Amino acid sequence: MQTQPAASHFINGQYVEDTGGEAFDVIYPATGEVIAKMHSATPDIINQALDAARAAQPAWAAMSGTERGRILRRAADMIRERNHDLSILETYDTGKPYQETSVADATSGADALEYFGGLAASLTGEHIALGDGNWVYTIREALGVCVGIGAWNYPTQIACWKGAPALACGNAMVFKPSETTPLSALKMAEILHEAGLPAGLYNVVQGLGDVGAALVVDPRVNKVSLTGSVPTGRKVYAAAAAGMKHVTMELGGKSPLVIFDDANLENAVSGAIMANFYSTGQVCSNGTRVFVQKGIKDAFLKRLSERLDNAVIGDPMDPDTSFGPMVSQRQIDIVDSYIAKGKAEGARLAYGGNRIDQPGFWIQPTVFADVTDDMAIAREEIFGPVMAVLDFEDEAEVMARANDTEFGLAAGVFTNDLTRAHRVAAGFEAGTCYINTYNDAPVEAPFGGVKASGVGRENSKAAIEHYSQVKSVFVRMDDMEAPF
Ligand code: NDP
């Protein structure tokens, strides 16, 4: 497959290059090979993208929602038709196994375009009667130019989760992918324009954090939506606040997964696997603090090890492979340092823990048992395949410990006690909770965090609130009074 894109950026409906920008390589994480050479956006490229977005947006917002939606839904169909090739590209970009990318990446991007394409025509204001025949009506308006900044773990999905609601509401978008995974967003831009999106409405510019930072402070930008870590979120939120811009912050987490003695063991193990090892652990909502009630602990750890032995680690392009490499040298070094910390702090290494000696960024699925709340591996987001198993005795104790974190992205519980399940979900300080399941993220449901894990929601009708604003228009039908 041709992995080198026609150019680094996509602006005003076409590929654009500026070799004056800093050069960087795109690496296939499974082998360490260079698969594309790109350039960071120069100030001129950033200007071109923002000018194109500004110029195109008013006419797009003036179109009917039905017309806008039709284009988005057409793009969704095209993505589904090309799912195989897009999934291969996503695997090259991220290293995630084709077994995953073929069902979770382009497909979820298509779902977002279809869902928000369907909603576009239903976006309306309200009529509010004020008495004496007077009234106010509201108009739901686009915000203008939205900037999307993406993390590297779900590049296609993030490009669509931000682009689809933004475009449905009549905005233009300038998207900056992570410089680690710059390829897929360009394909999304290409497909959107092939589907009929007018030029200038979905632009992609490449670069490191400095390009993102320049976009965030630009006065032409009305909204910033970031998917990234909490430290980056703090910087971007503060910079956006100076310009009084709208924000959506989808940030990191250290989510709890609580498994009670009465849980179905096989399902609980499946939940813990999905909460820690899917995408080689590089999922923001992962339940990496696995609290296991003492009565089920030994059985849980035994069954977990047996199931982890079934992981197929190897060529990510092989449809049988179920566990791929980490995304980059930098990320595997971070994960390695946490494994060393876990050992040094006295946690018991129950599974894995070693790098796999081959080119690329390979590490085993890793489980620490006997982890305590104060250990770094129980407090800090690792963003890799490292599960921390902590013991607990009772519900009140585990709830206090589960919520004792600055994060609040997700939380899960496995139990067969119906009332306890709902009580625990109600008690979690998290934006997204799971009962007897983990890590589902369909477009129909709101997704996002509380506390330091974020602001705003992606997906569902809730996202519309974050990509549009309401104007109130007062109408007086009788005479107007004044004091003098
Ligand atoms: P980072 O926070 O390092 O980067 C996120 C994006 O922000 C990148 O495109 C980065 O550019 C850019 N960026 C960095 N600094 C700035 C700045 N000062 N101003 C503007 N943009 C900037 O996150 P990672 O890419 O390492 O992704 C992993 C993180 O993302 C984890 O914490 C994870 O939990 C979180 N995440 C959250 C999700 C959610 O929905 N809540 C989903 C997926 C991931 P570059 O990297 O190119 O320098």
Side-chain angles (χ1 to χ4, degrees):
M1 166 182 266
Q2 168 67 269
T3 45
Q4 175 69 48
S8 299
H9 319 287
F10 192 95
I11 298 173
N12 213 13
Q14 51 195 347
Y15 278 97
V16 180
E17 192 58 271
D18 181 347
T19 51
E22 196 182 327
F24 65 93
D25 292 338
V26 187
I27 309 284
Y28 180 36
T31 61
E33 286 168 283
V34 175
I35 54 166
K37 290 184 168 293
M38 313 286 283
H39 289 94
S40 233
T42 56
D44 180 47
I45 286 287
I46 295 173
N47 261 329
Q48 284 183 38
L50 290 172
D51 280 347
R54 263 270 64 98
Q57 189 267 330
W60 175 246
M63 275 166 70
S64 75
T66 310
E67 283 178 279
R68 289 200 301 270
R70 195 177 300 132
I71 292 168
L72 302 189
R73 283 184 290 109
R74 201 179 296 139
D77 290 343
M78 289 167 60
I79 289 172
R80 287 209 183 86
E81 281 157 23
R82 299 176 197 180
N83 183 44
H84 173 73
D85 285 354
L86 293 170
S87 303
I88 299 265
L89 185 70
E90 183 84 343
T91 291
Y92 274 123
D93 220 2
T94 61
K96 294 191 291 183
Y98 176 81
Q99 190 187 89
E100 282 187 26
T101 55
S102 58
V103 298
D105 291 279
T107 52
S108 79
D111 285 353
L113 288 160
E114 183 170 1
Y115 179 87
F116 288 105
L119 272 189
S122 72
L123 304 178
T124 57
E126 289 183 293
H127 170 275
I128 304 158
L130 296 179
D132 296 331
N134 300 314
W135 43 284
V136 56
Y137 63 93
T138 63
I139 304 172
R140 185 162 289 280
E141 293 182 333
L143 300 175
V145 174
C146 302
V147 159
I149 302 176
W152 41 257
N153 58 344
Y154 279 84
T156 304
Q157 185 184 82
I158 295 170
C160 293
W161 279 18
K162 298 190 189 307
L167 292 170
C169 291
N171 302 287
M173 168 138 291
V174 176
F175 186 77
K176 188 204 88 67
S178 164
E179 158 260 8
T180 311
T181 54
L183 303 179
S184 311
L186 291 168
K187 277 285 167 216
M188 292 302 114
E190 210 181 297
I191 289 174
L192 277 162
H193 287 83
E194 218 179 309
L197 188 73
L201 290 166
Y202 192 95
N203 309 281
V204 177
V205 298
Q206 307 291 352
L208 282 160
D210 58 334
V211 171
L215 289 167
V216 172
V217 296
D218 195 285
R220 286 165 286 189
V221 173
N222 304 95
K223 190 220 156 95
V224 178
S225 177
L226 169 78
T227 296
S229 61
V230 172
T232 303
R234 288 191 212 283
K235 282 189 233 163
V236 171
Y237 199 177
M244 217 57 87
K245 298 180 203 295
H246 297 253
V247 293
T248 299
M249 295 281 143
E250 289 291 348
L251 308 177
K254 188 76 192 178
S255 301
L257 172 59
V258 179
I259 298 171
F260 285 94
D261 283 346
D262 68 351
N264 175 306
L265 179 65
E266 210 56 30
N267 287 341
V269 171
S270 295
I273 288 172
M274 288 306 288
N276 284 274
F277 301 118
Y278 201 68
S279 298
T280 315
Q282 304 162 116
V283 180
C284 52
S285 48
N286 270 357
T288 45
R289 287 185 294 145
V290 181
F291 292 93
V292 183
Q293 204 166 14
K294 280 195 169 157
I296 201 176
K297 177 186 170 186
D298 291 342
F300 173 83
L301 285 171
K302 178 168 177 288
R303 190 63 191 131
L304 179 65
S305 293
E306 288 165 5
R307 294 272 301 271
L308 288 176
D309 284 342
N310 295 334
V312 180
I313 305 175
D315 177 6
M317 297 297 175
D318 181 338
D320 290 332
T321 297
S322 54
F323 188 86
M326 304 288 315
V327 76
S328 64
Q329 185 66 48
R330 182 173 166 266
Q331 197 59 24
I332 200 170
D333 288 344
I334 291 172
V335 170
D336 237 2
S337 74
Y338 274 105
I339 291 174
K341 270 185 212 169
K343 288 180 189 163
E345 286 178 320
R348 176 164 62 88
L349 187 61
Y351 196 91
N354 298 311
R355 285 200 192 204
I356 299 167
D357 188 19
Q358 62 185 61
F361 316 121
W362 296 86
I363 198 156
Q364 293 174 309
T366 297
V367 178
F368 280 105
D370 305 332
V371 176
T372 53
D373 296 344
D374 54 327
M375 293 179 183
I377 57 167
R379 302 214 68 79
E380 295 166 23
E381 185 183 45
I382 301 174
F383 223 58
V386 183
M387 182 194 295
V389 177
L390 305 96
D391 308 345
F392 76 94
E393 305 265 0
D394 65 50
E395 185 181 320
E397 169 215 334
V398 78
M399 290 309 287
R401 292 169 60 198
N403 288 332
D404 181 20
T405 167
E406 66 162 335
F407 300 110
L409 188 55
V413 56
F414 277 78
T415 176
N416 277 328
D417 180 334
L418 185 66
T419 51
R420 176 161 62 193
H422 294 288
R423 192 170 57 237
V424 165
F428 279 141
E429 295 171 5
T432 306
C433 296
Y434 301 101
I435 296 174
N436 292 336
T437 182
Y438 207 89
N439 262 349
D440 313 66
V443 69
E444 295 89 344
F447 183 83
V450 300
K451 295 159 79 177
S453 290
V455 176
R457 291 292 175 269
E458 294 200 304
N459 288 343
S460 81
K461 282 180 278 191
I464 297 297
E465 299 298 327
H466 300 289
Y467 283 98
S468 61
Q469 59 196 351
V470 171
K471 175 186 278 175
S472 298
V473 182
F474 289 83
V475 182
R476 181 166 287 279
M477 303 297 281
D478 55 0
D479 290 334
M480 181 163 174
E481 289 178 14
F484 53 83

